[in-house]
Structures are given as C-alpha cells and as structure tokens.
Amino acid sequence: MNDDLKLAMKAKEKTVLQVIRMIKASLQNEQIKLGRELTADEELTLLSREMKQRRDSLAEFEKANRDDLVEKVVAEIAIVEKYLPIQLTEEEIRQIVASVIEDTGVTSTQAFGQVMGKVMPQVKGKADGNLVNEIVKEQLNNL
C-alpha cells in the first residue's frame, strides 16, 4: 500500500491518493484503538467495512441521480478492491450456502441466523454481505 501511495503521489492521482490515505488512516486508528498491531484478519475486516461504506454510498447516490458522485465512488471502489481478496462469484456463494444448509440440517427460515453465522466466516472479505444475505434467504425459502 505504501508503494501505491508513493506511485500515486508521483503520478499526481488525487483519487487514488485520497482513498489510500483514508484506508491507511482507518488502519492506524484501529491499531491505536486496540493498542497493538492488527492481524491480517482484522485488516481484512476493516477493508471490507471500507468497501461496504462505498457500496452503500453508491446505492444512495444512484437513487438520488447524483451521477457526479456515482463516478467518484465507482473509482474509489475499484481502488479498494485492489487490496481485498478476489471476490467469490454468485455461484460459489450459492454452493457455500447450500453446503452449510445441508451440513446443519436446517429445515426452515427460522434458522437464518444460524446459517449466516456459519457462512459469513467462510466468505469474509470475499463476498458482499448483502448478496450473501439474499442468497441465504432465497435458499431457506426454497426448503
């Protein structure tokens, strides 16, 4: 990330520079808050949170027809994605959810929390939580 920061400074890429600085600041704030170095898992959680914030903003800006802000957030999402693991496809998420449902033996939608609790650690940082939520609901409703 530091190398990307230096490259962005040299190339005068304001958006890249701004996003990397925000991410680094979030990481440092979390580190100060915890009083220790962050684990890779904690860094991944923080990056996932940054991505979620941007996706939520994107949805709001699209609703409000703010194309100027949509473009900015899309660019920021592309930058943050560079630091996240490769995202799972919808089909891969469906397979994970189906496997968890089969392994736990749930038979109703009331087990939603139980299924989500087992799926989310497997897809952490690799899938959008809203998409996982929709797939779990869909598959539980089809039981």
Side-chain angles (χ1 to χ4, degrees):
M1 199 178 291
N2 287 330
D3 292 339
D4 290 344
L5 184 68
K6 289 175 189 174
L7 288 172
M9 283 180 182
K10 288 178 183 176
K12 298 183 181 179
E13 295 173 330
K14 289 182 182 179
T15 304
V16 175
L17 197 56
Q18 178 185 10
V19 172
I20 292 174
R21 282 181 174 158
M22 276 193 278
I23 292 170
K24 284 182 62 88
S26 294
L27 290 168
Q28 287 175 335
N29 288 339
E30 190 71 16
Q31 192 172 347
I32 291 167
K33 183 174 132 187
L34 296 174
R36 60 176 168 75
E37 292 290 318
L38 298 178
T39 64
D41 196 40
E42 290 168 334
E43 287 178 2
L44 182 61
T45 299
L46 194 119
L47 285 170
S48 296
R49 192 179 320 142
E50 291 287 328
M51 181 61 83
K52 182 178 181 343
Q53 288 173 349
R54 283 168 176 78
R55 285 190 175 135
D56 290 347
S57 296
L58 180 63
E60 292 300 317
F61 294 150
E62 285 174 339
K63 276 186 206 173
N65 293 320
R66 293 292 310 268
D67 295 334
D68 55 328
L69 296 175
V70 167
E71 288 177 28
K72 180 179 182 277
V73 173
V74 167
E76 288 180 6
I77 287 172
I79 296 164
V80 175
E81 279 178 339
K82 285 177 48 179
Y83 303 104
L84 286 171
I86 295 172
Q87 299 294 292
L88 297 171
T89 65
E90 187 172 329
E91 187 54 39
E92 290 170 323
I93 298 168
R94 288 183 185 284
Q95 290 172 355
I96 292 169
V97 171
S99 172
V100 167
I101 289 173
E102 186 178 316
D103 291 348
T104 56
V106 298
T107 57
S108 74
T109 56
Q110 293 179 350
F112 174 80
Q114 180 183 359
V115 174
M116 284 295 287
K118 294 198 186 272
V119 170
M120 289 310 290
Q122 294 182 42
V123 300
K124 187 174 190 172
K126 297 184 248 174
D128 178 36
N130 291 331
L131 177 60
V132 175
N133 188 318
E134 289 173 24
I135 292 171
V136 169
K137 283 180 183 174
E138 175 188 309
Q139 289 193 13
L140 286 174
N141 284 331
N142 291 334
L143 292 178

